[in-house]
Amino acid sequence: MNENESSENLRRQILDLVRRYHTAAFPTRPFTPGESALACAGRVFDDEELVHLVDSSLDFWLTTGRFAEQFEREFAARFGVRHALLVNSGSSANLVALSCLTSPKLGERRLRAGDEVITVAAGFPTTVNPIIQNHLVPVFVDVQIPTYNIDPTQLEPALSSRTRAIMIAHTLGNPFDLNAVTAFAREHNLWLIEDCCDAVGSTYDGKNVGTFGDLATVSFYPAHHITMGEGGAVLTDRPRLKTLVESFRDWGRDCWCAPGMDNTCGKRFDWQLGELPPGYDHKYIYSHIGYNLKLTDMQAAVGVAQLAKLDGFVAARRDNFRRLRNGLTGLEEFLVLPEATPGSDPSWFGFPLAVRPGAPFTRRELVNFLNGRKIATRLVFAGNLLRQPAYVEIEHRTIGDLANTDFVMNQALWVGVYPGLSAAMIDSMIASLEDFCREAVHG
């Protein structure tokens, strides 16, 4: 047996032990209503993720490598786009997606300081932060209830001579009105970035979200549809944008060689850019003020195993949402129940609820009750970003009074529908909400 055969045999033995370890370390635990914790979200995995993770670690290739290449190829195919570019988080995906649109290589269409980007304040901070970080001006429009997505009737009032882009998320996996938004973007020659961090697997008009805009972003945080622990990706059909995303992700360099590769362009020492001397090494020419936002191949290895389970995860989320929605129809006197955007089929990230202003209880009372039953809740992210301390002094414009955004801030919450929740767990949620409303009415 030669040295390579010996190492491969050892690898097989190690991976067999990893499978045995998973069985011992992560047994299925019984569910007891009122005693077992019901999380809003969490990782769902089996031995394949551990095997992939250890297999990658045995390569000791610590940056992006074979698993990253496989994931990018398979994820792009799953979404139906040409390019998927891995980064180290969904927040980084948003940052490089918007930042790449500031590139001088885009000519007259580049975003410049002071340009405006239409967005919403009822969402997660990192959809808006890249606008501010790139010295652009967010223009906030209101959302609609009960979809919790952008009100497209406010797009036209938001338009100005400085408007250059739209950057919004599909809230809790529910697609925004892509017909209206894409038509508006085309009419006014605006860039469109779809934040799909909560919406992997959601469709609109039979097409995957993330395929409508110029760029799209996803997250692989443990709470999301599939996980790498940390991680994210930028999606695009446009080769030019793909190259710009890579540049901003990879230190701002002009070179597009993969890690460990040299001279992909065939003229590594024949470039002349900027005021550098002719023949300066292309691997060390920088066209943008960039970052290092790559992820490790070990993270990508977990993602490859997770991606094989995505269709099942999406089906479970839809089933759990449907069961919860049907079970709560009798409580609509007190609670605003969510509705999918017409023409969409969401891969729900969570189940949003809002306490009606005339209900005999407050959101805080409902949250405390559910927490007492060990049913985790979350608010709809930042509520109204403009009420948050970090955003009090930012330059911005608002359209109207953002009344629905304040309603989200004051009245809304969400509970989980992720694949780790069984039918019995969903039924326990329903029973708990029924108990609470009954006690609130009858004392």
Side-chain angles (χ1 to χ4, degrees):
M1 181 181 296
N2 61 37
E3 185 175 327
N4 286 340
E5 289 175 339
S6 176
S7 65
E8 286 306 308
N9 282 335
L10 284 171
R11 183 185 289 254
R12 281 193 291 271
Q13 292 176 45
I14 290 167
L15 298 183
D16 285 342
L17 284 170
V18 169
R19 294 188 190 280
R20 291 170 55 189
Y21 172 82
H22 173 269
T23 301
F26 301 99
T28 302
R29 302 190 184 281
F31 168 65
T32 304
E35 297 181 14
S36 303
L38 298 184
C40 281
R43 55 197 184 149
V44 178
F45 66 100
D46 58 26
D47 59 332
E48 285 300 321
E49 282 81 356
L50 286 183
V51 166
H52 276 67
L53 178 60
V54 173
D55 191 21
S56 173
S57 72
L58 293 175
D59 292 344
F60 208 65
W61 185 260
L62 300 181
T63 185
T64 56
R66 64 183 176 104
F67 284 106
E69 292 171 6
Q70 180 182 350
F71 184 89
E72 287 179 334
R73 182 176 63 253
E74 293 179 357
F75 195 70
R78 172 63 173 75
F79 257 80
V81 296
R82 295 177 67 177
H83 307 292
L85 303 155
L86 283 167
V87 293
N88 61 2
S89 72
S91 300
S92 294
N94 282 339
L95 177 61
V96 296
L98 187 65
S99 296
C100 85
L101 299 180
T102 68
S103 171
K105 295 188 177 188
L106 294 174
E108 291 302 310
R109 290 208 67 195
R110 69 177 291 199
L111 301 182
R112 299 174 183 271
D115 285 346
E116 294 182 348
V117 181
I118 297 173
T119 189
V120 299
F124 200 75
T126 55
T127 308
V128 173
N129 289 353
I131 303 171
I132 302 164
Q133 290 160 337
N134 279 287
H135 308 291
L136 306 167
V137 179
V139 179
F140 294 105
V141 301
D142 213 350
V143 295
Q144 295 176 319
I145 308 295
T147 66
Y148 297 90
N149 278 312
I150 186 171
D151 181 351
T153 67
Q154 294 197 350
L155 288 170
E156 202 67 44
L159 188 69
S160 81
S161 61
R162 297 305 302 270
T163 307
R164 296 290 182 271
I166 304 169
M167 186 170 183
I168 44 178
H170 301 290
T171 305
L172 290 171
N174 192 14
F176 55 79
D177 186 340
L178 280 155
N179 278 343
V181 173
T182 55
F184 181 81
R186 283 194 300 270
E187 179 183 358
H188 299 287
N189 197 31
L190 306 178
W191 297 107
L192 173 59
I193 300 175
E194 292 178 71
D195 183 336
C196 303
C197 290
D198 293 347
V200 172
S202 295
T203 62
Y204 183 89
D205 197 21
K207 293 175 56 181
N208 285 314
V209 300
T211 61
F212 292 81
D214 300 287
L215 295 150
T217 61
V218 295
S219 172
F220 305 124
Y221 192 69
H224 289 261
H225 289 66
I226 58 174
T227 187
M228 299 179 179
E230 300 287 351
V234 180
L235 310 175
T236 186
D237 261 334
R238 303 191 177 194
R240 189 179 194 185
L241 295 183
K242 178 250 189 186
T243 300
L244 295 178
V245 168
E246 286 179 320
S247 177
F248 278 89
R249 180 194 66 183
D250 301 351
W251 307 285
R253 67 180 186 169
D254 200 76
C255 174
W256 53 85
C257 287
M261 300 292 292
D262 293 324
N263 207 24
T264 303
C265 65
K267 52 177 186 176
R268 176 179 171 187
F269 300 107
D270 297 321
W271 290 86
Q272 200 289 308
L273 296 174
E275 299 180 5
L276 293 168
Y280 201 85
D281 188 347
H282 194 225
K283 288 178 71 71
Y284 292 96
I285 297 177
Y286 302 92
S287 296
H288 305 104
I289 307 299
Y291 311 90
N292 178 12
L293 300 175
K294 296 189 299 298
L295 85 173
T296 69
D297 216 42
M298 290 177 284
Q299 292 169 272
V302 175
V304 168
Q306 286 270 291
L307 186 54
K309 301 178 172 71
L310 177 57
D311 288 344
F313 288 167
V314 170
R317 286 177 177 276
R318 288 173 175 156
D319 287 345
N320 284 343
F321 181 92
R322 192 177 304 113
R323 190 178 191 93
L324 193 51
R325 182 67 170 76
N326 291 340
L328 296 178
T329 53
L331 303 181
E332 291 189 90
E333 177 184 356
F334 312 111
L335 301 172
V336 178
L337 301 185
E339 293 180 10
T341 300
S344 74
D345 189 5
S347 172
W348 291 96
F349 180 68
F351 188 97
L353 293 163
V355 176
R356 294 188 185 276
F361 54 84
T362 65
R363 180 182 66 184
R364 186 174 183 179
E365 290 169 336
L366 175 58
V367 167
N368 286 338
F369 175 86
L370 291 174
N371 285 342
R373 292 278 182 104
K374 295 192 174 181
I375 299 171
T377 64
R378 297 290 185 270
L379 302 185
V380 183
F381 309 124
N384 182 343
L385 275 172
L386 291 172
R387 311 286 189 193
Q388 294 276 353
Y391 300 84
V392 170
E393 296 182 355
I394 65 167
E395 183 181 358
H396 70 281
R397 286 199 300 120
T398 60
I399 306 305
D401 59 5
L402 303 185
N404 283 345
T405 301
D406 279 339
F407 176 84
V408 170
M409 176 181 67
N410 292 315
Q411 304 297 119
L413 67 146
W414 61 274
V415 294
V417 293
Y418 81 108
L421 299 174
S422 65
M425 294 172 179
I426 297 295
D427 289 343
S428 177
M429 282 191 204
I430 295 168
S432 292
L433 285 161
E434 289 175 337
D435 288 347
F436 175 77
C437 290
R438 185 169 51 250
E439 292 173 12
V441 171
H442 298 294

